[in-house]
Each structure stands twice: as C-alpha cells, then as structure tokens.
Amino acid sequence: MCWAGRMMLGTFSILLGLVHAAAVCEFGPFPYRGTGIVCRMTKPAALLLNRETAQVIQAAFRNAKFPNITGERSMRLLGRVAYGLSDIQVNDLSIERSEVELKEDSAIHISIRNVTALFRGTLTYGYAGAWFLQLFHSVDFEIESSIDLQLNINLMCQKDQVAPDASDCYLTFHKLTLHLQGDKQPGWLKQLFTDFISFTLKLVLKREVCKEINTVAQTLTNFIIDLAADFVRDKDIAVDISLASDPVIKATYIESHHRGVVLYKNNSSTLSDSVFSPSLLTESRMLYFWLSEHSLSSLAAAAFLDGQLVLNLRGEKLQELFEMEDTEVQRKVVQRIFQGTPYNDSVAKVWSLTQPQISFQPEGTVVRSSVAVEVSILLAGEEPLVALYMEKEITATIQATYAEKKLILQPVDSSVVIKVFKCTADPSGEDPSIQSFLQNMILVAGIPEVTSSIGSALTSLMNSKRLDLFDIINPEIITRKGYVIVQLDFGFPSHLLLNFLEKSL
C-alpha cells in the first residue's frame, strides 16, 4: 500500500508531503503510465489536519530569531532621538481559529485568525537636547499584538521531490500596542516611541515570522519524505516513492502520483503500462491509496530473492497444523509420519521454490507459487531425519482486512497440486489415508497458517515503522483487476507532531 499513510504530521507535513509541484521536473507526455502508487487526501482530511496548524504556527513564532531594532529621528526642541529594541521574545501566544482552502490547480491557502502574542524586551533610548543635554535610558517593554496570518503555500518539484515555498505570507495587524515598564513613563514618551517603532516592528515581525514558517514547512516536508522512504524500506528492499507525474489540486482533494517501483540491491523493476486513472478514486473517505499489481508483485519477488519467504513451525504451531481433526485415522497417520516423536522434537519448514505470481482480481488477491514443505525429526546427537518432503503448486485467493491495528489475510479459495512426494511412512506414495490426510491438512490448516503468519509478519513490520500510533478508522481494502485501493478515515496523533517539533526546532 502507499506507505505515505504513516506520514500525517499536521497540516503542513501532510499537505506538503502528498503534493509536489512540477516546476522543474519533466515527466513526459504519458506520466500515468509509470504510476505505481497514488495518494489522494480529500477536503475532510485537510480540515481535520488543519487543527494541528496552531502547533506549527506557535513553533514558528517561538523559534523566530528577532533581531535588534534600531532607529532615530530628529525632533524639534528634543534634538536627535535614537532608540533600540533588544532581547525580543514571544510570550502568551494564542490562536483563535485556522482555516484551510484548496485552490483549484493552484496552491494551499491557510488563514490563521486572531493570533494574539505578547512581545517582551528592552527599550534603550537617548536624545540630545538643543542645549547639549544628553539623556540615555533603558526600560523593559511589552507589545500587545493581534495579527491575522495568510499563507499561500506554493509547491515546487526539485529532483522529483517536494520543495515547498511558503514565502507568500502576509501579516495583518489589528493591534500593536507598546507598554513601557509599568506604564510609569510620561504619556508623550510612550506615544513618541509607539509612533517611531510601530512601522519598523511590523516589518521585522512579518519578515522573521514568515521566514520561520517557511523553515518549519521545509523541515516538516523533509521529515515526512524521509519517514515515507523508511516506511517502504526493509533491509535491502525499498520502494521508489519519487514523483511519477504532476500533482493534482482540486477544490475537494489533493492527489500525488509516485513511481512505486521496487529497488532490491542494485536491481529495480520497471513500470510503463499502469492502468491508473483519477476516475478510479472517489471522494467519500479521507484518505485513498491506489497500488498497482506491478508494485506488489515486485515486492513479493524481492522478498523471495532476499530469502524472506520461509516459515518454520515447531511445538504448538506444528501440533495445530497436524491435529486439525481429532479422529482415529488422523492420530494413526500422525503417529506414522512422526514415528512417535513429540512435536517439540520436530520442525516443519515451508518455503517458496519460485517467486510468487500475484494478480489482483475482484474476488481478492490471487497468489500462485511453487512451495516446498519439509518435516524433520530432530534426533539427539544425530542428523535430522526428514520424515516428509513435498513440492506443490498452490493457487490461493486471499482477501485482506485491517482491524484492531492488525493486517489480516484470509484465504477464501485455494487449490493444491502435489508435484513431488517423499515420506518415510509411505515410500510408494500410494497410501490413501496419508495422501488424503496431507491434502486436506494443506488446504484446511496449512494455507491459512502460512497466510496468517505472513499477515502477522507484515503487521510487525508496519508497527515497527509506527503505523500503530495512528487511529485508522474503518479501513477498506478493495481489489480490482490489476490494482488495489485502500480507503480509510483517520484520527491524528497530536503528540507525534509535538515531539517532532520539540526535537527538530
């Protein structure tokens, strides 16, 4: 699936991570043909994530480095008046509300209403009177402010990755009031410095806050790209999530297209006949992931080449496999195969002889593979005794669901053809009781056990990438001919964004 579903870190991170403008990227006349993974986030998801915007804006204000502000002015009778504001810090920041709008084929517009902040620092001033009288003073100051913030986030593509530009940033000041220490200074002095510095202060605040917002946006974007790349990487296997085509920004959704080709060591797959079309996705859920048959089949091939498609069963698992029915016939067959050896002293190994062939159909994911099964009896101080060895061609249709933070793979139809059979209990391979038992065991218990183990392994892998930290609501995995769609709603784990901002800024 499009593992970008893990990278939901606030309005900036998701919106910037899923959308990539093609200002400097060339994709050719038929970019969809090379699309292996598609992500679509609809307006409800953007509205939900916009609740986290306040944290991003607060981080931008908090981390902005405000320079010292200096100026001077000639006044009648007073002579030349000079001032300087230093050690400017932000306190008591609050945001009334935030709104997000997706502008058709344009940009992401974020409107932050009524940002109230208290700026504190030191005001130093001096003036030379007409009679050469010089006075210099330093007082603490507070500046009460009420600001509206408008952001138009433009997105550029550099090296097939996102490069956000949040420099289209506007601050509107509804209030900017200077208070000198304790309001003890004469009213004319307060009014004098308010008039002097208010315009300059507005320029400085706009420049530094907008610069910091741009920095935070870029930091979050780089983080989400790195997080996505790590999510689709396991040792020597990785998925190329660079852009395959221009993004789509509509009033109701954002959509990005990725290559989705599998990289294994020095080899990579190719995709030039993708069946993706925007009409395949709807807008009723928050998040959609579209995956090509080629991408998943290539992942299975890489896992096979990496030696990961191997399963060892011992003890209780082995007992469950061979004691699916409690009948006299079964007990006799098991006794003959294991020669009376306890399950704890035996092991069953299951592995793929050839890379699995995977295809998506409306009924589910169809997997075809040549599989070997070997049951060995472990003898103390001796070489293991192979009691059973089989090679078989398996075709299974599997339906996938995700519930309670677990990936569940359920076979709904399967067939087995045994190609090679060796058994110490049936050297001729013609004992009907053993043949019938093994055939039934493979279909009823063997294939479900293997698919369950694969589902558990994939769940552990995804959770190691922190997918379990997200609240995934009513996910649906829908297979069609040549592709699969994962659609879901989600809840956002706010602590992830807070932790990231605290560590990175």
Side-chain angles (χ1 to χ4, degrees):
M1 63 182 61
C2 178
W3 309 119
R6 299 198 66 253
M7 302 164 277
M8 307 173 207
L9 295 178
T11 300
F12 289 105
S13 57
I14 279 293
L15 297 183
L16 299 179
L18 293 181
V19 185
H20 311 70
V24 295
C25 300
E26 297 293 336
F27 298 112
F30 306 106
Y32 284 163
R33 291 183 180 178
T35 297
I37 297 174
V38 177
C39 300
R40 174 180 290 187
M41 186 175 69
T42 60
K43 185 66 177 291
L47 293 175
L48 173 66
L49 292 172
N50 187 56
R51 298 175 187 175
E52 308 304 321
T53 301
Q55 297 182 39
V56 178
I57 299 303
Q58 287 172 349
F61 271 84
R62 187 171 59 249
N63 288 278
K65 306 300 181 183
F66 297 102
N68 295 339
I69 300 173
T70 60
E72 63 177 45
R73 186 173 180 179
S74 296
M75 299 291 294
R76 229 182 327 179
L77 299 178
L78 291 176
R80 182 174 56 85
V81 178
Y83 65 87
L85 278 72
S86 59
D87 302 324
I88 302 175
Q89 298 178 355
V90 182
N91 299 92
D92 304 328
L93 180 70
S94 66
I95 295 176
E96 183 177 286
R97 70 180 186 274
S98 175
E99 300 171 353
V100 63
E101 179 184 359
L102 307 180
K103 293 186 176 181
E104 189 91 5
D105 298 323
S106 178
I108 303 164
H109 177 74
I110 298 178
S111 177
I112 315 294
R113 302 291 184 183
N114 195 18
V115 181
T116 60
L118 187 65
F119 296 88
R120 289 190 170 98
T122 301
L123 169 64
T124 301
Y125 64 93
Y127 51 90
W131 299 276
F132 303 102
L133 176 64
Q134 295 185 354
L135 297 175
F136 299 95
H137 299 278
S138 291
V139 296
D140 293 334
F141 72 85
E142 292 182 348
I143 299 174
E144 293 183 73
S145 67
S146 178
I147 307 167
D148 285 349
L149 176 62
Q150 305 289 330
L151 293 172
N152 287 304
I153 304 177
N154 298 302
L155 302 149
M156 301 173 293
C157 179
Q158 294 179 355
K159 298 181 180 179
D160 294 336
Q161 298 292 353
V162 64
D165 178 12
S167 60
D168 191 359
C169 170
Y170 297 93
L171 271 64
T172 302
F173 291 84
H174 299 296
K175 179 181 180 182
L176 192 68
T177 305
L178 173 68
H179 297 286
L180 300 181
Q181 187 178 39
D183 274 339
K184 297 178 181 179
Q185 299 296 329
W188 67 269
L189 182 61
K190 176 180 175 181
Q191 183 62 46
L192 172 67
F193 283 108
T194 298
D195 292 341
F196 274 14
I197 70 175
S198 60
F199 178 74
T200 304
L201 184 60
K202 288 178 181 180
L203 292 179
V204 170
L205 292 180
K206 176 186 182 303
R207 182 180 69 243
E208 298 304 323
V209 169
C210 289
K211 182 174 69 175
E212 186 62 27
I213 288 174
N214 206 23
T215 299
V216 172
Q218 184 63 67
T219 301
L220 284 170
T221 301
N222 292 338
F223 175 74
I224 202 171
I225 292 173
D226 293 341
L227 190 64
D230 178 66
F231 194 86
V232 293
R233 181 186 299 112
D234 180 35
K235 299 177 182 177
D236 291 329
I237 302 174
V239 178
D240 181 0
I241 57 171
S242 58
L243 295 179
S245 67
D246 294 343
V248 175
I249 304 178
K250 298 295 184 182
T252 53
Y253 67 83
I254 302 169
E255 185 173 280
S256 64
H257 317 101
H258 309 267
R259 292 192 176 101
V261 297
V262 175
L263 311 173
Y264 178 65
K265 295 184 176 179
N266 294 325
N267 301 313
S268 65
S269 59
T270 58
L271 175 62
S272 60
D273 57 353
S274 174
V275 298
F276 174 73
S277 169
S279 62
L280 298 176
L281 302 179
T282 63
E283 301 172 30
S284 60
R285 305 297 298 274
M286 287 184 176
L287 206 57
Y288 293 82
F289 306 120
W290 182 96
L291 295 92
S292 71
E293 181 178 286
H294 174 87
S295 295
L296 189 57
S297 183
S298 298
L299 275 174
F304 169 76
L305 294 173
D306 202 48
Q308 296 189 23
L309 302 184
V310 179
L311 176 65
N312 290 301
L313 301 173
R314 299 172 181 267
E316 291 183 3
K317 286 294 184 181
L318 191 57
Q319 184 175 0
E320 292 173 4
L321 188 65
F322 279 88
E323 293 186 4
M324 57 182 179
E325 297 176 356
D326 187 16
T327 65
E328 184 65 24
V329 173
Q330 174 207 273
R331 286 192 291 271
K332 289 182 178 180
V333 169
V334 171
Q335 181 72 16
R336 292 174 61 188
I337 293 175
F338 287 88
Q339 303 176 24
T341 304
Y343 289 111
N344 286 335
D345 295 331
S346 305
V347 60
K349 179 182 178 182
V350 184
W351 72 97
S352 288
L353 295 170
T354 59
Q355 69 181 50
Q357 302 298 313
I358 295 177
S359 62
F360 291 135
Q361 301 295 334
E363 298 77 20
T365 303
V366 180
V367 181
R368 297 179 177 86
S369 183
S370 177
V371 177
V373 177
E374 182 180 88
V375 177
S376 299
I377 298 173
L378 308 177
L379 304 173
E382 300 181 23
E383 290 292 324
L385 173 64
V386 178
L388 174 66
Y389 177 81
M390 291 187 295
E391 294 180 5
K392 51 191 181 294
E393 298 291 335
I394 295 180
T395 301
T397 301
I398 299 171
Q399 292 182 350
T401 56
Y402 187 86
E404 298 180 354
K405 301 186 183 299
K406 295 179 181 179
L407 178 65
I408 303 168
L409 303 179
Q410 180 66 43
V412 294
D413 185 34
S414 55
S415 63
V416 176
V417 177
I418 297 178
K419 296 292 187 179
V420 176
F421 179 83
K422 297 178 183 179
C423 182
T424 56
D426 182 18
S428 66
E430 297 178 357
D431 188 319
S433 61
I434 291 181
Q435 295 294 317
S436 176
F437 167 77
L438 290 175
Q439 186 80 5
N440 191 44
M441 181 268 290
I442 293 169
L443 290 172
V444 175
I447 294 176
E449 176 61 32
V450 171
T451 54
S452 175
S453 298
I454 293 174
S456 297
L458 290 174
T459 297
S460 297
L461 177 62
M462 291 187 294
N463 288 345
S464 71
K465 310 291 187 177
R466 295 179 288 179
L467 179 64
D468 56 331
L469 298 180
F470 291 86
D471 186 11
I472 298 176
I473 303 169
N474 298 326
E476 296 179 83
I477 303 175
I478 303 169
T479 54
R480 294 290 183 263
K481 186 175 177 58
Y483 63 90
V484 63
I485 296 173
V486 180
Q487 54 189 39
L488 55 94
D489 298 323
F490 63 89
F492 182 78
S494 299
H495 64 280
L496 288 184
L497 180 60
L498 284 172
N499 291 341
F500 168 72
L501 291 174
E502 290 174 357
K503 292 178 181 179
S504 302
L505 299 176

